[in-house]
Amino acid sequence: AVDGTLYSGGSDGTIRVWSNGDHVRTLLGHTGQVNALAIDTQGKLYSGSDDETIRVWSAADGTHLST
């Protein structure tokens, strides 16, 4: 993201949030490997996983919004 935030999806089903190289938080919820991440202009983070779900998160604070 423009503000220096980076999101990474893991084989352990987690999403890690990084800011300027520092780990900020870990998002939990997927039970399979996270294969896809996208952010929209409204501040939502979308994650796709081998568990056959797409989850929606608040990019600002990591709150899970929907599956």
Side-chain angles (χ1 to χ4, degrees):
V2 175
D3 65 357
T5 302
L6 174 75
Y7 301 88
S8 62
S11 60
D12 59 357
T14 63
I15 300 162
R16 289 184 174 78
V17 183
W18 306 85
S19 180
N20 299 310
D22 296 320
H23 179 250
V24 177
R25 71 177 57 90
T26 301
L27 308 183
L28 305 173
H30 284 294
T31 58
Q33 178 172 320
V34 177
N35 298 312
L37 295 169
I39 301 173
D40 70 13
T41 58
Q42 304 301 311
K44 292 180 183 172
L45 172 69
Y46 299 84
S47 58
S49 168
D50 280 349
D51 65 11
E52 299 182 359
T53 65
I54 296 173
R55 291 182 175 260
V56 184
W57 314 82
S58 165
D61 64 10
T63 302
H64 177 243
L65 303 174
S66 65
T67 301

